[in-house]
Structure formats: structure tokens, C-alpha cells
Amino acid sequence: SILIFPSFYKKAARTNFKDSWSPRNRKRPFRKRTDFIILHTTEGGDTGSLNKLRRNGEANYMIASDGIVHQIIDHRKIAKHAGRSMWDGKRNLDEYSVGIEVVGYHDKEPNARQCVALKELIKLLQKVYKIRDKEVLTHSMAAYGSPNKYFDENHRGRRRCGMLMGTLGVRLRLGLTDKPRY
């Protein structure tokens, strides 16, 4: 059963939502604003990924390999998914975005069932938050790393997470006709 914001989910005709709430959900604050949707890849399988995401409250949603959408952190609340991140003058994008993890790997496109579920979920979230296609980002676009022994300055990090969902072909399959300029 859907416990949070049920009318939101009733609009998803073809998508099966499953309650997989993180114990951290109740403690997470509500976001003051939502400007982005950030797509991630789990870099692992269904069970291990869901366990980790639930335990740490690291995403608002996870789309399993069978297309089921697991609700982990209420879509209105801050999920700790973006880490050290920046986009369009904003830093710490957890405070400005909904995070969606897609089970799979950075070098493989989501399967057909995942694409159907992801497309529908993106459209619902875009409608609620007035997010344009070009504001649907991949983690690889927004993540950056801190200075370390290899880099003297802040630098782009996690270059691979969700990267194929930033390509034109996959974006079109997800119903996204516009993309960020860079």
C-alpha cells in the first residue's frame, strides 16, 4: 500500500510502486525546493542495492531490474544520493533534487521494463515539481571530487554513474527530448 502522497502514485498507470521505506525516512527533513531529478546506477544487483539504499537512505527511489519502483525516502524529503555535487551554481544537490537509482551498471543501458517505469516516474516528478527535461541530470554530470594527491583542485568525480542515461538515445527512450548544454 502507498503510505505517502497516494494521489501522486495513482497517476502512474503502468508502474508498480512498492513500499521499501528506509528507517531514516522519518528523520529526513523536507526539501525547501526541488529543481532537479538525478539519475544513478547502483553498480550492483537488486537485493544488495536495495538493502544498501534502504539502510543508508541513499535515494528517493530505486528501479529494480523487473521494473518495480521501490520507494525508499519520501520524494519530498532529502535523500543522501548526490554527495559532493554542484550544478547551475548550486552545491550539495541532495537539498535540491530527487534521486533515482536504477539497478544496473554504468556501461549498460536500463532494460525495457526499467525504461517504462523510469519514464513514467520522471514524468510524474516533472509534473509535480515543474522540472524541465534539461534539469533531469545524471550523477556523472553533477558529482565532483575534492582535491587529493592526483588533483590540486575540485574536479569532476564519479564520471560514470548513470552516464548512459545522459546520452541522446537513452534520454529519448525515457521521454526526455532536451538535455543540459554541458
Side-chain angles (χ1 to χ4, degrees):
S1 67
I2 306 302
L3 301 174
I4 296 176
F5 215 25
S7 63
F8 174 78
Y9 300 106
K10 286 181 184 176
K11 295 175 185 169
R14 298 179 308 221
T15 300
N16 185 6
F17 287 88
K18 183 173 182 183
D19 296 341
S20 298
W21 301 113
S22 168
R24 297 175 186 257
N25 184 55
R26 292 179 192 255
K27 297 176 184 174
R28 291 291 168 83
F30 287 94
R31 280 188 308 280
K32 292 180 179 150
R33 58 182 295 145
T34 304
D35 299 323
F36 309 104
I37 296 169
I38 300 182
L39 307 176
H40 303 262
T41 46
T42 63
E43 303 302 315
D46 287 308
T47 303
S49 295
L50 182 59
N51 289 341
K52 178 182 179 289
L53 294 170
R54 285 188 70 236
R55 181 175 55 249
N56 299 320
E58 293 178 339
N60 298 93
Y61 299 96
M62 184 192 89
I63 299 181
S65 57
D66 59 6
I68 292 175
V69 177
H70 292 268
Q71 303 169 108
I72 298 168
I73 297 288
D74 181 338
H75 69 91
R76 300 167 296 175
K77 292 184 172 187
I78 294 173
K80 302 291 186 174
H81 62 92
R84 191 173 167 94
S85 53
M86 64 180 171
W87 192 263
D88 199 24
K90 294 180 174 81
R91 294 179 185 270
N92 189 15
L93 296 186
D94 291 334
E95 296 178 11
Y96 302 97
S97 63
V98 174
I100 303 172
E101 290 273 357
V102 179
V103 171
Y105 297 89
H106 69 274
D107 59 348
K108 293 192 167 106
E109 293 183 9
N111 68 39
R113 285 180 276 182
Q114 288 173 313
C115 282
V116 167
L118 185 54
K119 180 178 181 179
E120 197 160 283
L121 179 59
I122 288 170
K123 289 302 170 203
L124 283 170
L125 292 167
Q126 284 182 307
K127 190 172 185 176
V128 168
Y129 294 112
K130 311 291 186 254
I131 293 173
R132 299 174 293 181
D133 287 359
K134 67 182 183 179
E135 295 159 341
V136 178
L137 311 172
T138 65
H139 193 207
S140 60
M141 294 173 181
Y144 70 98
S146 54
N148 57 45
K149 68 181 183 177
Y150 303 106
F151 298 95
D152 294 333
E153 301 175 3
N154 289 330
H155 59 280
R156 285 287 167 205
R158 299 183 203 97
R159 286 178 238 172
R160 296 180 180 169
C161 181
M163 69 182 191
L164 289 180
M165 291 181 280
T167 62
L168 182 59
V170 175
R171 287 182 77 82
L172 289 173
R173 285 177 55 206
L174 298 176
L176 301 169
T177 57
D178 197 4
K179 63 179 187 162
R181 290 185 312 174
Y182 52 91

